[in-house]
Amino acid sequence: MASMLHQVLYPVLGLVLMTIHLEVSSLAITNGHCQKNISVKYQVPVAKTRMAGAGPPNASHPVDLDSYVVYEERVRWDNIQVCCPGYRTILFGFCEPVCQEACPAHSYCAEPDRCHCQRGYEPSHHHTTGHQLVCRPVCQGGCPEHSHCVAHNECECWPGFKDASSWFSMSLRCERVQCGHEQRFDPGRRACVQIEMSMEELMQRVAERLAKGLGAEEEAANEPES
């Protein structure tokens, strides 16, 4: 019975230890350990003797001695492993770097006060204020026409365009959104909305239509009679 129990428990225990190892290795942990020399105080037992009683100075009989133990303090120097300056201790004694300022989006603290882009992102080469790190997504092979890369290997149509690919097609295909009469495309809503005109725009539109109507009447009046 015991051997059967061991056959069942050992594989399960190994699986648990493997899972713990995988969970630890998936963390962004950097080797930031340093050696530190520290003094350690400890006590050691020391055996001593003393006379049991005060006898005559010239007594012929032997003097009784009493043995006892005292603890004396000693100091030794040990080397211990600690997190280096710029690192802090996390679970299982691992050290992780510390960045005083929060890292930008899609980046992580890789060294003390130094951020690196996450996998699938790369540093942007565009000039930024204060040379702050800006991580942009990487789309392998680029994005189709009228689209741009919004996440790692994820493309999205530009504002004013929509995905016209069929359900069985994996590739993105962007077509311009066609809005109806008196409508325009609103990028914020990603939809066609009714054009709202101010009073001046409305009066100008009416004046243009009246001018077109009057021009057509004048052309008709000036045509020679056949």
Side-chain angles (χ1 to χ4, degrees):
M1 182 66 181
S3 61
M4 293 179 61
L5 184 60
H6 289 165
Q7 292 177 359
V8 173
L9 287 180
Y10 284 161
V12 173
L13 181 60
L15 180 60
V16 171
L17 293 176
M18 184 180 299
T19 304
I20 294 176
H21 174 71
L22 291 176
E23 289 178 355
V24 172
S25 62
S26 65
L27 298 174
I29 299 173
T30 309
N31 184 15
H33 289 104
C34 291
Q35 296 294 326
K36 184 179 180 180
N37 201 10
I38 62 169
S39 61
V40 179
K41 293 182 179 180
Y42 64 100
Q43 292 183 335
V44 294
V46 178
K48 293 189 177 184
T49 58
R50 60 189 172 189
M51 292 178 26
N58 299 324
S60 58
H61 60 81
V63 177
D64 293 334
L65 298 178
D66 185 15
S67 298
Y68 65 99
V69 176
V70 297
Y71 287 88
E72 296 182 356
E73 191 174 81
R74 299 284 191 273
V75 177
R76 72 170 184 268
W77 291 91
D78 289 348
N79 284 328
I80 62 172
Q81 196 175 55
V82 297
C83 290
C84 298
Y87 292 80
R88 63 185 174 189
T89 306
I90 55 175
L91 295 175
F92 308 110
F94 289 100
C95 301
E96 69 171 1
V98 177
C99 292
Q100 299 298 329
E101 296 184 2
C103 290
H106 310 301
S107 67
Y108 65 97
C109 187
E111 301 175 37
D113 293 326
R114 181 172 294 182
C115 303
H116 288 182
C117 290
Q118 295 175 355
R119 182 178 299 179
Y121 291 81
E122 63 181 3
S124 175
H125 300 293
H126 295 290
H127 177 73
T128 57
T129 304
H131 302 284
Q132 185 182 12
L133 177 67
V134 176
C135 299
R136 64 180 182 183
V138 177
C139 291
Q140 300 294 336
C143 290
E145 189 179 10
H146 307 306
S147 67
H148 61 291
C149 189
V150 294
H152 179 49
N153 290 336
E154 182 179 341
C155 300
E156 187 177 274
C157 294
W158 290 344
F161 291 81
K162 63 179 180 179
D163 182 11
S165 59
S166 53
W167 64 271
F168 55 85
S169 176
M170 298 295 292
S171 59
L172 180 69
R173 186 167 61 90
C174 299
E175 289 184 354
R176 186 179 297 276
V177 176
Q178 301 295 333
C179 295
H181 184 63
E182 301 289 344
Q183 287 186 334
R184 65 176 180 84
F185 182 80
D186 186 357
R189 302 181 188 177
R190 296 181 178 272
C192 295
V193 297
Q194 194 70 26
I195 297 176
E196 297 179 359
M197 293 184 294
S198 62
M199 185 58 67
E200 291 119 0
E201 292 174 340
L202 181 60
M203 295 300 294
Q204 184 178 359
R205 184 70 62 87
V206 172
E208 290 175 355
R209 290 185 178 180
L210 288 175
K212 287 182 180 180
L214 292 175
E217 291 179 0
E218 290 179 358
E219 289 180 1
N222 292 331
E223 287 182 359
E225 296 182 0
S226 57

